[in-house]
Structures are given as structure tokens and as C-alpha cells.
Amino acid sequence: MKWMIILLMSLGITHAQANTEPMQQAAMEQIIKDLADQSKGGQGVVEFTYQGMDMFVISDVTHDRMRILSPVASYSKLDSSQIDNVMFANFHRALDARYAVSQDVLYAVYIHQLSKLDKQQIESAVTQVFNLKASFGETYSSGVLDYQGK
């Protein structure tokens, strides 16, 4: 049994070491463009449509950061119940995507270190942002998990 644990651990380490190639901005943008219904832009800003929803990916290689976002609503027009639901969702119903506010706009957004991403995470991020925006006013969920908080 002990040898099996050591073998599994070493295989995991080998797999992790084999997948240490940092994500590059151009590669991330290509993954997004491949998912998109349509897209335009590059070199740090790509505007795209995913399943009919307008989205953006913004990245900064100098700071090794990226964000995928989609505007949801005017924040000042939300009622207190909607704001409470957004905050509740950020804790219980969103996985890696979150609701965030900037300049009176409520966004569905995924923020991450660019170099640490892989293709599967980028695909998941787009889906989570899509679900978070699409479910606003109903389940407020990224569609991936729910901690069933009260």
C-alpha cells in the first residue's frame, strides 16, 4: 500500500512538472477567440461574444494578470435585495467568477494570474462568467457549485 501511495505521488509530481509552461497572452487570447462566436482585438484587450453574450478579456503581461468580464447592470439601479443576493452569491454560489463593481457597473468577472492559467481554466472561466451574468436576478450562480449557505 505504501509503495502505491509513493507511486501515485510521484506520478502527480511528474504531471505537475510537465505542465509548468506559463500561459502567454497571445495563447490565452487564441483560446478565447476559439471559444467565441465572434471576436475582435488582441494584445491585451479582446472583445468577444460567447453564446450571444458580450464579454471582454483584458490582460497585462507586465503585472501577470488577466480578467474576463461582462457587464451585468447599473449598480446604482440595483435594489437592496439584489445587492444582498450578489454578495451572498459571491460567497456561496460562485466558484472562481465573482460579481464586482466599477464606475457604477456591476460585472460578472473572473480575475487570475495570467501565467498560471491553462486551457481548461480559461474555458471554465468563460463559462462561469457567462453563467453568473445569465443567472443574475434568478439563481446568481456561476453554475459550478453551491455551498448551500443560509
Side-chain angles (χ1 to χ4, degrees), residues 72-75 77-101 106-109 127-149:
V72 176
S74 171
Y75 186 76
K77 293 182 180 176
L78 300 180
D79 63 36
S80 61
S81 175
Q82 289 172 311
I83 293 169
D84 287 347
N85 283 326
V86 163
M87 295 304 294
F88 182 86
N90 277 351
F91 195 78
H92 293 287
R93 294 193 182 120
L95 181 59
D96 300 313
R98 296 283 188 267
Y99 291 106
V101 177
L106 176 70
Y107 290 95
V109 63
T127 300
Q128 289 182 57
V129 170
F130 175 87
N131 288 337
L132 210 53
K133 179 177 178 174
S135 69
F136 177 79
E138 295 175 15
T139 61
Y140 298 87
S141 172
S142 67
V144 180
L145 116 114
D146 187 343
Y147 283 108
Q148 300 294 324

Side-chain angles (χ1 to χ4, degrees), residues 114-138:
L114 173 62
S115 65
K116 301 295 183 187
L117 288 169
D118 61 31
K119 183 178 189 238
Q120 184 178 20
Q121 288 172 307
I122 294 166
E123 292 169 347
S124 174
V126 170
T127 300
Q128 289 182 57
V129 170
F130 175 87
N131 288 337
L132 210 53
K133 179 177 178 174
S135 69
F136 177 79
E138 295 175 15

Side-chain angles (χ1 to χ4, degrees), residues 26-73:
M28 177 195 63
E29 290 175 355
Q30 190 58 55
I31 293 167
I32 297 282
K33 289 176 179 181
D34 290 345
L35 289 172
D37 304 331
Q38 57 187 19
S39 66
K40 63 181 178 181
Q43 298 179 335
V45 179
V46 176
E47 183 178 351
F48 66 101
T49 304
Y50 175 75
Q51 295 186 22
M53 183 180 291
D54 293 333
M55 302 174 88
F56 301 87
V57 61
I58 302 168
S59 55
D60 181 339
V61 294
T62 302
H63 295 100
D64 193 23
R65 302 302 295 176
M66 61 74 70
R67 60 183 63 194
I68 298 169
L69 59 129
S70 186
V72 176

